[in-house]
């Protein structure tokens, strides 16, 4: 019903299907207060990341949609954790009964960033629905010309809140897209991958008990 897109220039976009999605209120698009310190960058250069968010109803279910791209690089794990804290604060302050947070988080399960979001009562949808599958999303060769997939880490996530059943289980399914060689498209110098990252698509079920509560 909606898609998110992230690029390395700091642009974050939410694409919605107007047949099933009704947008509520105003969009928020902002940069993080936590970014790469100036001493790591050439003089006069700033490297900023951020997020976009919007409340919406999808098939009548109200939720907050957030898309982001956290900082990359081995040196900046604490920067990513700080950015995750800002996202956790945004989500914690929202009155929306459900949250869907998507993006390239540039860190793996077990990182400080991951712990911040997991500690904010967000569910790592891949881990919840497919705990036995690696779900690698990154990264193909920089020129995208590799024939076999070389994905070897999971750094792209769909985080959710408010979709778990009373039992604590999440209902739905999630899959990788553009992760197999047959997904390659024709480029100027041969077949290339659509992106250096694989994509994630999830279908989530709204628990019936939550639906009943909202209609009372």
């Amino acid at each position: 019903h909606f898609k998110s897109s992230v690029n390395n220039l700091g642009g974050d976009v939410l694409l919605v299907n107007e047949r099933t999605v009704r947008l509520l209120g105003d969009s928020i698009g902002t940069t993080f207060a936590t970014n790469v310190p100036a001493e790591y960058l050439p003089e006069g250069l700033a490297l900023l990341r951020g997020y976009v968010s919007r409340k919406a109803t999808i098939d009548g279910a109200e939720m907050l949609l957030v898309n982001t791209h956290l900082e990359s690089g081995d040196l900046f794990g604490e920067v990513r954790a700080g950015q995750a804290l800002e996202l956790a604060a945004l989500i914690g302050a929202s009155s929306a009964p459900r949250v869907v947070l998507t993006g390239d988080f540039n860190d793996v399960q077990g990182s400080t960033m991951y712990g911040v979001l997991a500690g904010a009562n967000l569910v790592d949808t891949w881990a919840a629905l497919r705990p036995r599958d690696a779900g690698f999303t990154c990264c193909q060769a920089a020129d995208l010309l590799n024939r076999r997939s070389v994905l070897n880490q999971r750094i792209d996530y769909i985080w959710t809140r408010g979709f778990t059943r009373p039992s604590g289980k999440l209902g739905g399914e999630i899959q990788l897209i553009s992760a197999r060689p047959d997904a390659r498209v024709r480029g100027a110098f041969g077949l290339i991958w659509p992106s250096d990252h694989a994509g994630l698509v999830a279908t989530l079920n709204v628990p019936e008990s939550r639906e009943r509560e909202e209609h009372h």
Side-chain angles (χ1 to χ4, degrees), residues 2-216:
F2 73 95
K3 296 180 180 179
S4 63
S5 174
V6 185
N7 66 48
N8 289 329
L9 299 178
D12 302 289
V13 179
L14 287 170
L15 304 177
V16 302
N17 181 342
E18 292 183 347
R19 291 175 298 178
T20 55
V21 179
R22 183 169 66 92
L23 298 175
L24 305 174
D26 297 325
S27 296
I28 296 175
T30 188
T31 55
F32 291 116
T34 306
N35 283 291
V36 174
E39 58 264 30
Y40 289 94
L41 300 170
E43 186 176 355
L45 179 66
L47 185 56
L48 305 177
R49 304 290 188 183
Y51 62 85
V52 292
S53 69
R54 186 77 179 260
K55 281 188 176 181
T57 60
I58 299 179
D59 290 333
E62 183 182 346
M63 61 192 70
L64 177 69
L65 308 176
V66 187
N67 187 67
T68 191
H69 188 181
L70 304 192
E71 192 51 67
S72 62
D74 293 341
L75 292 176
F76 303 122
E78 291 305 311
V79 171
R80 288 188 289 277
Q83 293 170 345
L85 280 169
E86 293 184 44
L87 292 170
L90 168 78
I91 291 166
S94 175
S95 61
R98 301 170 200 83
V99 175
V100 178
L101 167 62
T102 63
D104 176 358
F105 291 80
N106 274 311
D107 233 333
V108 297
Q109 188 171 357
S111 66
T112 304
M113 179 284 300
Y114 189 99
V116 168
L117 295 180
N121 295 320
L122 290 166
V123 175
D124 173 359
T125 305
W126 183 274
L129 295 177
R130 302 183 64 172
R132 297 181 180 179
D133 295 334
F136 293 147
T137 63
C138 181
C139 293
Q140 307 294 4
D143 62 8
L144 304 178
L145 287 169
N146 51 298
R147 294 185 178 183
R148 295 183 178 181
S149 175
V150 292
L151 301 175
N152 62 6
Q153 55 185 326
R154 186 168 73 91
I155 62 174
D156 302 271
Y157 300 87
I158 297 176
W159 293 90
T160 59
R161 188 187 73 183
F163 290 89
T164 52
R165 301 167 183 163
S167 65
K169 292 186 177 181
L170 188 67
E173 60 182 26
I174 188 169
Q175 62 181 329
L176 289 172
I177 59 172
S178 300
R180 298 168 57 91
D182 58 9
R184 293 179 299 162
V185 298
R186 187 160 300 280
F189 302 101
L191 293 177
I192 61 172
W193 296 89
S195 169
D196 60 332
H197 288 237
L200 287 169
V201 175
T203 300
L204 300 172
N205 302 329
V206 177
E208 292 183 5
S209 60
R210 292 182 183 273
E211 288 183 317
R212 286 196 297 268
E213 289 170 4
E214 289 169 9
H215 286 93
H216 285 322

